[in-house]
């Protein structure tokens, strides 16, 4: 097998049997959609969807100084995360540029699991390994040790609950606990990337098919459907969640992305990028260069990443993500725009779509928030 061949998840045969349209994503062969991406999107918003996310990069950090290493390597205060809890954070370069956004789970007193985006998993692994020098901690590549299934949507608690005796009611958002689901040992995490309640289930690859089939059967009456990466993108866009490579990159700091809250200057010890990030925080407070906003189309034309945002004949920003929104029924986009045009309701803002200036309304993110 050549190194250019895409990797396949443990559920590859299942996706093909379901007639999925497959696509190469970050070196993996992944399901884009099974049928209509709009139907899959709406199923997650109103019922439940089942995703294969086995392309995500799991990295285990263990040892007496695991917490100290992660505090040094990442911008968040990882030492303050309780056992069984998770935190959204970032890993930055020395100059403050974002290498990736991450979720870190504290599995035990001296054991953490760092989950990186598929496209950045090797970069994050290399950076953590390099930054571990001098710490009594081990960084382990566990990408092949896990398959990851996600059940997302309002019916997901009832579906997963029917297959486990784990205390799901007591499981808070951004928490994880070991348990069994349909007899399969799993780390059950209440996390997701859709704007809905749901669970991410980390299991051994050899158990993935069995668990997928059990979830499919358990969710049938509730209207659960298999979902691909395409609707995952429209779901996260409606929820105002950033995507690495679109809203986040090495040319932006967390403060540029409006996510300065993840940087914890008050934690003990130095951390990579601290000096540059302190300067970025001051700049953002005094004179934000551009602000990440939501845009809602007045017409039907869909903006795409890279399209210019315009006002009064001048370019005032750039679209980072755009798609038709099944929930709003109109095209939407996230864009970085000059601070002067970033306030919700700012008049005269448009998107240049192939030479035509289409009118857009500036709105606060997210576009969609679920009813608790």
């Amino acid at each position: 097998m050549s190194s250019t061949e895409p990797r396949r998840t443990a559920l590859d045969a299942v996706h093909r049997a379901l007639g999925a349209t497959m696509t190469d994503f970050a070196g993996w062969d992944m399901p884009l959609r099974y049928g209509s991406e709009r139907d899959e999107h709406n199923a997650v918003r109103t019922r439940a969807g089942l995703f294969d996310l086995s392309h995500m990069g799991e990295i285990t950090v263990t040892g007496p100084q695991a917490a100290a290493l992660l505090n040094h390597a990442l911008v968040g205060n990882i030492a303050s995360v309780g056992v069984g809890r998770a935190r959204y954070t970032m890993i930055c370069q020395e100059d403050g540029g974002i290498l990736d956004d991450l979720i870190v789970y504290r599995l035990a007193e001296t054991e953490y699991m760092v989950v990186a985006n598929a496209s950045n998993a090797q970069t994050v692994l290399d950076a953590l390994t390099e930054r571990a020098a001098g710490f009594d901690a081990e960084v382990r590549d566990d990408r092949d040790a896990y398959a990851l299934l996600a059940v997302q949507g309002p019916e997901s608690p009832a579906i997963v609950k029917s297959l486990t005796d784990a205390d799901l009611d007591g499981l808070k958002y951004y928490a994880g606990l070991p348990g069994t689901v349909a007899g399969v040992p799993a780390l059950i995490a209440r996390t997701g990337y859709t704007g809905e309640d749901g669970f991410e289930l980390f299991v051994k690859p050899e158990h993935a098919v069995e668990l997928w089939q059990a979830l499919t059967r358990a969710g049938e009456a509730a209207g659960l459907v298999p979902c691909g990466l395409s609707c995952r993108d429209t779901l996260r866009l409606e929820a105002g969640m950033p995507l690495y490579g679109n809203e986040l990159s090495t040319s932006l700091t967390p403060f540029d992305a409006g996510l300065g809250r993840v940087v914890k200057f008050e934690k003990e010890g130095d951390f990579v990028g601290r000096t540059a990030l302190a300067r970025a925080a001051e700049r953002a407070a005094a004179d934000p260069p551009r602000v990440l906003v939501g845009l809602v189309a007045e017409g039907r034309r869909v903006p795409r990443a890279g399209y210019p945002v315009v006002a009064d004949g001048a370019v005032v920003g750039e679209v980072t993500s755009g798609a038709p929104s099944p929930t709003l029924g109109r095209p939407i986009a996230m864009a970085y725009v000059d601070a002067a045009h970033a306030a919700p309701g700012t008049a005269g803002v448009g998107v240049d779509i192939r030479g035509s200036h289409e009118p857009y309304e500036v709105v606060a993110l997210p576009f969609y928030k679920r009813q608790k």
Side-chain angles (χ1 to χ4, degrees), residues 311-371:
D312 305 321
V315 173
V316 297
E318 186 177 307
V319 170
T320 52
S321 296
S325 163
T327 306
L328 277 64
R330 290 154 79 187
I332 59 171
M334 286 202 273
Y336 284 108
V337 303
D338 294 348
H341 295 88
T346 302
V349 173
V351 175
D352 184 340
I353 300 182
R354 299 190 195 91
S356 162
H357 289 194
E358 300 289 327
Y360 271 74
E361 182 190 354
V362 179
V363 299
L365 292 169
F367 301 96
Y368 165 85
K369 221 177 213 160
R370 71 183 167 99
Q371 303 303 308

Side-chain angles (χ1 to χ4, degrees), residues 194-242:
T194 61
E196 298 299 335
D197 192 8
F199 302 89
E200 294 185 320
L201 307 170
F202 296 85
V203 299
K204 286 182 176 170
E206 57 265 32
H207 294 147
V209 172
E210 179 189 344
L211 182 56
W212 178 282
Q213 290 169 342
L215 288 163
T216 299
R217 285 192 300 271
E220 198 174 358
L224 173 133
V225 300
C227 291
L229 294 182
S230 190
C231 82
R232 184 170 148 88
D233 193 48
T234 53
L235 289 159
R236 70 93 197 165
L237 177 55
E238 287 183 352
M241 293 175 168

Side-chain angles (χ1 to χ4, degrees), residues 49-121:
L50 177 58
F51 296 83
D52 176 10
L53 305 179
S54 302
H55 61 312
M56 301 295 281
E58 295 87 4
I59 300 161
T60 303
V61 181
T62 55
Q65 290 190 300
L69 161 59
L70 290 170
N71 262 16
H72 164 70
L74 311 180
V75 301
N77 188 353
I78 308 305
S80 70
V81 178
V83 173
R85 297 307 301 265
R87 184 155 298 165
Y88 176 78
T89 187
M90 293 183 184
I91 183 167
C92 289
Q93 300 178 146
E94 198 62 72
D95 67 0
I98 304 166
L99 281 172
D100 201 13
D101 61 336
L102 311 164
I103 295 181
V104 179
Y105 298 88
R106 189 169 196 166
L107 303 180
E109 196 58 41
T110 59
E111 182 181 3
Y112 295 81
M113 182 168 66
V114 177
V115 181
N117 285 297
S119 53
N120 296 327

Side-chain angles (χ1 to χ4, degrees), residues 31-62:
L32 191 62
R33 69 182 75 82
Y34 298 86
S36 149
E37 53 206 49
R38 176 181 290 268
D39 289 350
E40 292 171 24
H41 178 109
N42 289 333
V44 175
R45 285 278 177 258
T46 59
R47 303 185 305 278
L50 177 58
F51 296 83
D52 176 10
L53 305 179
S54 302
H55 61 312
M56 301 295 281
E58 295 87 4
I59 300 161
T60 303
V61 181
T62 55

Side-chain angles (χ1 to χ4, degrees), residues 7 58 60 140-147 202-206:
R7 299 180 66 181
E58 295 87 4
T60 303
R140 188 173 72 232
D141 180 0
D142 268 348
R143 282 176 286 181
D144 293 336
Y146 291 103
F202 296 85
V203 299
K204 286 182 176 170
E206 57 265 32

Side-chain angles (χ1 to χ4, degrees), residues 264-296:
K264 303 300 183 189
F265 293 113
E266 72 278 7
K267 66 180 173 177
E268 267 183 55
D270 197 15
F271 62 91
V272 178
R274 183 185 191 116
T275 305
L277 288 167
R279 283 199 299 270
E282 285 170 21
R283 274 200 313 274
D287 183 23
R290 283 188 166 175
V291 180
L292 188 64
V293 300
L295 298 173
V296 178

